[in-house]
Amino acid sequence: MFKVINGGLSEGSDTSRKKFISAFVTNTRLMGVVCIEIHWKLIDNSRNTEFCQVFYLDAEEYGFDSYEYVVGPDDEETKAKAEALSNRLMGGLGGVMVEISEREARALVQDYVYMNYKLGIDIPEEADIEFIMKPQITLTMEERHSLMVKQCEEIIGDYQLLNYFLMRCVGHDFEAARFLAGDHISLAAFRNDKPATLMRNESELISSDMSQEAGGSFSTIKTYRCQSLVEQKTYFEVITSRLKVDSFKVIDLEVISRDHISPQEANMMTRRNEYIMLDDLDCDPMEFTKETSKYTVRSQETAYETGRLFMIFNPHNNHVLERVYKLFDDVFGIVFVSNYGQLMVASFKRENIAELERDIRVHLGLDKVFPVGKYNFDAPVLYEFVRSGFPDFEDFIEAVSTDDPDK
């Protein structure tokens, strides 16, 4: 919970009437999660007049998942705190902020609160939402469609459509799946499952046919075969399906087969190289913060026993445009700063790691960062090191390496 009160300690958000100033939502609904930022003016307060709320909302399983806020005077410090809060909660979503009305903002918050009630999920204790829940907002069908459009990025390609559609079906987010589909499509093939995660999807065009509509115009109906790796609660499976697409809408869905596979087989399907640069720090590790690099500003920071990890996501969701979609391709890079003075910069792409390390060295100081080594692994290693408890990365690599007696 993030709370900022600069003076006027008795002036919280609950002591004043609220005047709506603005609201924004991320256009990440098709990923299953959105963030809403609402700015209110506390008109009865003399000093702490600014109230910024950020809601993290999950359309699949968790509903109204988390909430944070800033209260403070109308000054640069409060604005900076609010911006830092938004970057922290929204930095991993890969979308842009779209302005919405007060009516739309209230309706969205109410939708997810009702979802929590239905699923028996507690509302975050610190959430100041009582004033948002009244009056109850009921959007018309046209208003709901308009709001959904604002929450979704534009569909510009068939692969993007297929990846998002299957992702929403697998996650049991049928409202978003229907937004991407034709009027008469059946989603029954996925309704008996538990909500799951689409780890990988590979699409193959198998036919393309011209069709003449009633008005005389022509359209092209394309048929794709998709092979989807799905992580269920207790097992992995590969779902093979056939989908028809017309004008960026899925108009037909047929599940052909479903096959359970082992965790080892799933790991092989998602395997990727990891590039790591190891540096020594000639400074206190705590000098490294999220503000050290323009990339880590939007990272998600996690503390471990041996240091701090900064997960940096791409500022977009372009990985969904690919013919072969992989869940973890939304990661730009990872930075781990150990308590023992080591800096590790990792990425699944060579160009990302070079750019990230260069930016860190420039901003932290060239006299504080000394290169030690470069590594290329055929599977992710950094997380294993972080969880291992080893204080030194090179000692960890030596310990887990298997000596080949023939070499």
Side-chain angles (χ1 to χ4, degrees), residues 147-267:
L147 181 54
M148 181 64 87
V149 170
K150 293 178 182 180
Q151 296 176 76
C152 299
E153 64 175 294
E154 181 184 5
I155 300 298
I156 59 175
D158 287 351
Y159 296 142
Q160 177 195 27
L161 171 68
L162 295 167
N163 291 330
Y164 272 136
F165 176 76
L166 289 169
M167 195 189 308
R168 296 301 91 227
C169 287
V170 166
H172 271 213
D173 182 6
F174 297 119
E175 179 185 14
R178 289 210 171 275
F179 178 75
L180 299 173
D183 293 335
H184 305 295
I185 192 169
S186 172
L187 305 179
F190 292 95
R191 289 193 178 276
N192 292 329
D193 301 329
K194 298 292 185 181
T197 302
L198 181 67
M199 303 294 294
R200 185 182 189 275
N201 183 60
E202 183 171 352
S203 302
E204 177 188 0
L205 178 65
I206 57 177
S207 69
S208 181
D209 302 300
M210 294 291 292
S211 175
Q212 187 172 13
E213 300 177 355
S217 60
F218 288 87
S219 64
T220 302
I221 298 178
K222 299 177 184 178
T223 303
Y224 290 87
R225 180 184 292 110
C226 294
Q227 187 181 66
S228 308
L229 172 63
V230 176
E231 183 180 10
Q232 301 285 356
K233 294 294 184 183
T234 58
Y235 62 92
F236 292 91
E237 69 175 336
V238 173
I239 300 176
T240 303
S241 56
R242 184 181 294 113
L243 301 96
K244 291 184 178 180
V245 173
D246 183 14
S247 303
F248 295 148
K249 291 288 186 181
V250 177
I251 61 171
D252 189 55
L253 163 67
E254 178 188 2
V255 173
I256 300 172
S257 64
R258 307 179 73 137
D259 302 296
H260 286 212
I261 64 172
S262 67
Q264 293 74 22
E265 291 173 303
N267 183 60

Side-chain angles (χ1 to χ4, degrees), residues 4 18 29 47 116 131 161 163 195 207 214 226 238 243 272 316 319 326 347-348 360 393:
V4 178
K18 288 87 172 171
R29 180 64 178 78
R47 176 169 172 76
N116 281 40
F131 73 99
L161 171 68
N163 291 330
S207 69
C226 294
V238 173
L243 301 96
R272 59 207 183 279
H316 52 69
H319 64 301
K326 297 177 183 178
S347 180
F348 305 132
I360 290 173
F393 183 70

Side-chain angles (χ1 to χ4, degrees), residues 3-18 39-52 70-75 77-78:
K3 183 177 181 181
V4 178
I5 299 181
N6 299 321
L9 293 178
S10 63
E11 290 189 344
S13 61
D14 58 343
T15 63
S16 172
R17 292 170 296 163
K18 288 87 172 171
H39 180 200
W40 307 90
K41 184 72 72 173
L42 301 177
I43 57 178
D44 295 326
N45 287 2
S46 60
R47 176 169 172 76
N48 293 327
T49 59
E50 307 307 306
F51 181 31
C52 178
V70 171
V71 175
D74 185 4
D75 59 19
E77 182 180 356
T78 300

Side-chain angles (χ1 to χ4, degrees), residues 83-134:
E83 183 178 358
L85 172 59
S86 295
N87 285 336
R88 183 158 59 84
L89 288 184
M90 303 178 188
L93 298 184
V96 299
M97 302 295 290
V98 178
E99 188 166 11
I100 57 176
S101 68
E102 179 180 4
R103 176 177 169 83
E104 290 172 324
R106 288 178 180 271
L108 271 177
V109 173
Q110 290 177 14
D111 279 353
Y112 284 89
V113 169
Y114 296 144
M115 178 179 175
N116 281 40
Y117 289 156
K118 181 179 179 181
L119 297 177
I121 301 173
D122 291 336
I123 303 296
E125 290 184 5
E126 66 277 10
D128 183 1
I129 59 170
E130 185 175 351
F131 73 99
I132 294 180
M133 300 302 293
K134 299 176 182 179

